[in-house]
Amino acid sequence: MNLFLTDIELAKIGSMFMYTCPVIALILLGYKTALVYGLLNVIPYYLIVNNIDLSLYSGVQHQLSNAHKIIHELLFLFFNICIPLAVARTSIAAKRLNDTTLRSAKFLREKNKLYRTFFTESSKAMLVCDLQGKVCDFNYQADTVFTLSKNSANNHKAVEKIIGSFAKQNADNPVKLVDYKGVCLQVTSKPIPQSQYTVYEFTDCTVERELKSSLLKSKNEIKRLRFFDKKTNLPNKYWFELKCKEIIKKRPSQKHQYYIVVLKDADNEYYQMKYGNDLSNIDISNTYQQLTEIKGLIECSAYIGLNRLAFLTLAPSPIELENRIESQLKPYLESVVEIENKQYKHSFLFGYERLTSGEDDITSVMNNAAMALKQSRKISPIHSYSKLESQSFIEKHEISILLSEAIKNNELEIYYQPKLSSCGQCVGLEALTRWNKSPIGGISPAVFIPIAEEYGMIDDLTDFVIRSVCQQLSKWNANKLSTVPVAINISLINFNRKDFMSKLIEHLTKYNVSPKQIELELTETALEENQEYSLNLMKTLQAWGFAISIDDFGVGYSNISRIAEFPIDKLKLDRSLINKVSTCPRQRKLATVILFMCKELDISCVAEGIETKEQKDIMLNLGCQEFQGFYFSMPLSTLDYEQHIKQFGTNFANQNSPIDSVSTV
């Protein structure tokens, strides 16, 4: 405009446009364009201030005819388009800014809620600390736990000390347990990204720690119970097995051999019964302590149950091992102890077995040593394992299993051996158990009856015999078959059962059998065990009508006074007394005295085991009126006995058919 207008005042309008351009440029285009316009405005400013007319230089002599129109068009363009656009741009920008501000405010409010939820109102104590561990902010729970306040510098310092120690010691571990005023706190550090602050979160884990401690104690207790005996608190056999394997693996022996020795105090059962389990356990603990004090002989030792201790040792040979036990270990262990002002001397028994290699089953070798211990006696206190003896034990156990099944399945049979008068008339029967159908063939009563007593099956066996006899007597009574009293052997174990009498009556009632048809044969040991109880029971049984006889009299230490003390109906002289009556005058005199004594006490006497006519005649001349033995009859099956009764009646004199027809079992 300055170039083409000759009117200088009118040309100044162009400068006004130029002065407003930076503002418009700033609004529409940005600060860089506005800066350029600002710099350019120096030129019009200089021209206007100095009233410089540029038209002189452009050669324009006359003002353009349409100058006013152009100026108005420019003004129209500027004020109706450029400025409104700038204002519109500014309004839009302001609106956007306002929207952004509102969104930011909303975001901050939500952040504030999150802040209150996760920090201020959190159930966990939380602190915000700087790099030096100084507390900058905390929530309500932290105030409760640490008793913090804005003006409490001491509390702040106490917490800062915890945080500072935690930050220094746990740079790589963001979690730590600290104790604060008796409370266990788990501290977790969470650094704030792009910040110099760290949030420390405190969780009260006192209960968890106590629970963990309890679980640890329980775990240790379970481990202790697994590897230590509860009563004696000594290492048990499981610990012993592991220790033996560990020792043998670390130090395999080349010149010597490892042995496992099992020992026990021969009188421990006596001490246990007389003074109680506590003293017995103390005695075992003292012996174990003595074993641990022996250097160079014992590798390790433990309590393996049943009042037995075991230890591992090295020896060049079994003979050398026995010499060491006899000369070193046994004298050291067998000290004198004082119990209730009385002195007792220990007497130990030993059983041992050799470990042939490091791969041996420790349990099997230990069991073998324990098996050897069973064979030890005071006269021979050291015993090695014998495979033959072990095989015998296994056979007994297997027979016990088969016997248990045989009793349950009624596989046993009852045979009856007659008791005869001097003229050969049957005056009674003895029920004898036979086991002819076992998987391993016929088994003698001398084998399976002791096994039944040892393995706790004698009650079932006796119950089977009583039931079978009562059932058979019931059939004979129903068939009008001539019957005589049947004797049933009752062991010490049966006789001492509190329910013996009730079970016996129960069977008789079930099969409608009279007590007078039953004779009970007892051993002297049954009377010796509990004399008062035995006497009362025998009187009760006799009152019911049962006959009482004493079996095997003359065996062992027979007590003659028992004949007078107890209400006995019959006395059975053992076959060992009868066997020598024809060859030994002293034995014959002894039999004479016993028969005379029984006659004076009104006790019947039965001579059992009669095998020859000479024995029968001698005993008859001595005054014996009842006999039993193979000379008269072998034990008969039910069928054979019934056939004999039908054919010959109750007369067994000179009847050889039963003897010839029945095979010995």
Side-chain angles (χ1 to χ4, degrees):
M1 291 177 69
N2 200 310
L3 285 172
F4 299 100
L5 293 176
T6 57
D7 186 351
I8 190 63
E9 294 299 327
L10 188 62
K12 289 181 180 180
I13 296 174
S15 300
M16 294 173 61
F17 285 118
M18 292 294 293
Y19 292 154
T20 58
C21 280
V23 178
I24 302 301
L26 180 63
I27 295 173
L28 296 177
L29 301 177
Y31 74 94
K32 292 183 179 180
T33 306
L35 181 61
V36 172
Y37 272 106
L39 293 175
L40 290 175
N41 279 341
V42 175
I43 299 171
Y45 173 77
Y46 179 80
L47 295 174
I48 292 172
V49 169
N50 295 289
N51 290 319
I52 299 174
D53 185 7
L54 295 180
S55 62
L56 300 173
Y57 300 101
S58 61
V60 177
Q61 299 295 325
H62 302 284
Q63 188 166 305
L64 297 175
S65 58
N66 58 349
H68 288 83
K69 181 182 178 182
I70 294 173
I71 291 172
H72 281 286
E73 288 176 352
L74 288 174
L75 289 173
F76 179 84
L77 176 66
F78 184 78
F79 286 102
N80 288 277
I81 297 177
C82 293
I83 292 179
L85 284 175
V87 173
R89 171 69 182 271
T90 303
S91 299
I92 293 172
K95 185 178 180 181
R96 289 179 177 175
L97 178 61
N98 184 56
D99 292 341
T100 303
T101 303
L102 291 175
R103 286 196 299 271
S104 298
K106 182 179 180 181
F107 178 75
L108 289 175
R109 284 196 301 272
E110 293 175 353
K111 286 290 185 180
N112 189 40
K113 289 181 181 179
L114 291 173
Y115 169 77
R116 286 197 304 271
T117 302
F118 293 104
F119 185 79
T120 306
E121 299 176 3
S122 174
S123 61
K124 299 179 181 179
M126 301 179 74
L127 301 174
V128 179
C129 302
D130 58 18
L131 294 177
Q132 287 73 36
K134 184 178 179 181
V135 179
C136 302
D137 196 4
F138 54 88
N139 63 358
Y140 173 77
Q141 289 297 330
D143 187 13
T144 303
V145 174
F146 299 108
T147 319
L148 297 173
S149 63
K150 298 295 184 182
N151 300 321
S152 179
N154 292 333
N155 286 337
H156 275 257
K157 289 180 179 178
V159 177
E160 289 170 13
K161 186 176 181 181
I162 295 175
I163 301 301
S165 173
F166 173 69
K168 290 179 181 178
Q169 298 178 6
N170 294 271
D172 299 326
N173 187 3
V175 180
K176 179 188 178 184
L177 294 178
V178 296
D179 288 316
Y180 184 81
K181 294 184 179 181
V183 179
C184 179
L185 299 174
Q186 177 181 290
V187 189
T188 305
S189 64
K190 299 178 180 178
I192 301 176
Q194 299 178 353
S195 172
Q196 296 182 347
Y197 298 98
T198 302
V199 177
Y200 292 93
E201 184 179 272
F202 295 83
T203 304
D204 187 350
C205 58
T206 305
V207 176
E208 288 82 353
R209 185 171 69 170
E210 291 176 355
L211 180 60
K212 184 178 180 180
S213 177
S214 299
L215 290 174
L216 182 61
K217 289 180 181 178
S218 300
K219 184 178 179 181
N220 292 334
E221 180 64 15
I222 291 172
K223 183 178 179 180
R224 189 188 72 80
L225 291 175
R226 182 184 178 190
F227 293 109
F228 286 82
D229 178 69
K230 185 177 180 180
K231 294 181 179 179
T232 61
N233 202 30
L234 298 177
N236 60 17
K237 61 181 180 180
Y238 302 109
W239 178 90
F240 183 69
E241 292 172 9
L242 293 175
K243 192 66 176 177
C244 287
K245 291 177 181 178
E246 180 183 336
I247 292 173
I248 296 171
K249 186 176 181 180
K250 286 184 178 179
R251 294 187 286 112
S253 177
Q254 300 295 333
K255 297 181 180 180
H256 295 66
Q257 295 172 332
Y258 280 106
Y259 293 85
I260 291 179
V261 182
V262 178
L263 70 148
K264 73 171 184 178
D265 189 344
D267 300 317
N268 189 272
E269 286 81 2
Y270 164 75
Y271 297 143
Q272 192 173 17
M273 294 177 64
K274 187 173 179 64
Y275 301 107
N277 291 327
D278 292 340
L279 182 64
S280 174
N281 293 335
I282 292 173
D283 185 50
I284 291 171
S285 298
N286 291 337
T287 304
Y288 172 80
Q289 187 62 34
Q290 287 179 291
L291 289 174
T292 58
E293 293 171 354
I294 300 176
K295 306 298 182 183
L297 178 62
I298 295 173
E299 302 293 331
C300 65
S301 58
Y303 175 73
I304 62 172
L306 301 176
N307 303 321
R308 300 170 302 174
L309 293 167
F311 64 85
L312 181 70
T313 186
L314 274 169
S317 66
I319 296 176
E320 181 62 26
L321 174 64
E322 293 187 13
N323 290 337
R324 290 179 182 179
I325 293 175
E326 185 69 37
S327 61
Q328 300 178 32
L329 183 59
K330 199 168 183 292
Y332 180 74
L333 295 178
E334 293 183 347
S335 57
V336 177
V337 294
E338 186 172 309
I339 305 174
E340 295 185 355
N341 299 323
K342 293 183 180 180
Q343 289 188 338
Y344 298 91
K345 189 176 186 300
H346 283 305
S347 179
F348 282 92
L349 305 177
F350 301 84
Y352 68 89
E353 166 67 340
R354 179 171 62 91
L355 281 161
T356 55
S357 68
E359 302 299 324
D360 279 358
D361 184 4
I362 302 296
T363 304
S364 299
V365 177
M366 183 169 57
N367 290 339
N368 291 343
M371 186 76 68
L373 178 65
K374 292 182 179 180
Q375 309 301 323
S376 300
R377 301 291 182 269
K378 285 188 177 182
I379 192 172
S380 178
I382 306 172
H383 202 281
S384 63
Y385 169 72
S386 169
K387 190 173 182 180
L388 183 62
E389 292 172 351
S390 176
Q391 186 64 33
S392 174
F393 174 82
I394 293 172
E395 288 176 359
K396 284 173 60 179
H397 189 75
E398 290 176 346
I399 290 174
S400 73
I401 296 173
L402 295 173
L403 179 60
S404 177
E405 292 296 323
I407 294 173
K408 291 179 182 178
N409 299 329
N410 293 321
E411 295 175 0
L412 302 177
E413 299 177 81
I414 302 299
Y415 276 57
Y416 299 91
Q417 186 169 26
K419 296 179 184 178
L420 308 176
S421 65
S422 57
C423 60
Q425 289 296 319
C426 181
V427 295
L429 299 171
E430 181 179 3
L432 302 173
T433 310
R434 294 294 182 263
W435 189 9
N436 298 323
K437 299 178 182 179
S438 73
I440 55 177
I443 300 178
S444 169
V447 174
F448 70 78
I449 290 179
I451 291 176
E453 292 180 342
E454 182 179 351
Y455 286 85
M457 292 182 288
I458 194 65
D459 278 338
D460 295 334
L461 180 59
T462 303
D463 190 65
F464 167 79
V465 175
I466 295 174
R467 184 175 65 253
S468 299
V469 169
C470 290
Q471 189 176 10
Q472 190 60 57
L473 284 171
S474 179
K475 290 180 180 179
W476 287 341
N477 291 335
N479 295 330
K480 307 297 183 180
L481 193 70
S482 177
T483 59
V484 292
V486 178
I488 300 174
N489 290 283
I490 306 298
S491 73
L492 167 65
I493 299 173
N494 301 136
F495 196 68
N496 283 328
R497 297 292 187 194
K498 299 300 181 184
D499 60 348
F500 169 71
M501 182 76 181
S502 61
K503 282 188 175 182
L504 180 62
I505 299 300
E506 181 183 346
H507 287 305
L508 266 66
T509 304
K510 181 178 180 180
Y511 295 103
N512 195 24
V513 175
S514 171
K516 293 182 179 180
Q517 291 183 282
I518 301 294
E519 178 184 327
L520 302 176
E521 290 192 2
L522 308 176
T523 60
E524 282 192 273
T525 52
L527 309 181
E528 187 71 28
E529 183 71 15
N530 190 338
Q531 296 183 23
E532 183 178 357
Y533 169 78
S534 300
L535 181 61
N536 292 332
L537 182 56
M538 289 176 68
K539 289 179 179 179
T540 303
L541 290 168
Q542 282 187 330
W544 274 80
F546 294 99
I548 306 295
S549 65
I550 300 300
D551 194 17
D552 299 333
F553 187 81
V555 177
Y557 299 96
S558 296
N559 195 333
I560 297 178
S561 65
R562 294 285 175 268
I563 303 175
E565 292 175 359
F566 291 92
I568 300 169
D569 297 302
K570 252 177 211 184
L571 195 69
K572 295 186 70 175
L573 301 180
D574 187 70
R575 69 179 67 249
S576 62
L577 187 65
I578 305 302
N579 285 342
K580 298 179 182 179
V581 75
S582 60
T583 58
C584 180
R586 292 176 64 86
Q587 201 85 338
R588 190 181 310 166
K589 290 180 181 180
L590 179 60
T592 303
V593 171
I594 295 174
L595 289 168
F596 177 77
M597 184 171 51
C598 289
K599 182 179 179 182
E600 292 296 319
L601 295 173
D602 195 24
I603 298 174
S604 300
C605 211
V606 181
E608 62 177 345
I610 299 294
E611 297 181 356
T612 64
K613 183 177 184 300
E614 184 182 8
Q615 291 174 345
K616 177 250 182 184
D617 292 339
I618 292 174
M619 292 305 297
L620 181 62
N621 292 332
L622 292 178
C624 186
Q625 297 299 317
E626 288 188 30
F627 306 90
Q628 183 181 2
F630 293 166
Y631 174 72
F632 300 99
S633 174
M634 300 283 285
L636 303 175
S637 68
T638 302
L639 181 61
D640 289 336
Y641 175 75
E642 291 175 351
Q643 289 177 351
H644 182 91
I645 293 298
K646 291 176 182 178
Q647 185 176 358
F648 301 104
T650 57
N651 186 5
F652 281 79
N654 299 322
Q655 301 299 333
N656 295 324
S657 55
I659 301 177
D660 297 335
S661 63
V662 180
S663 60
T664 303
V665 179

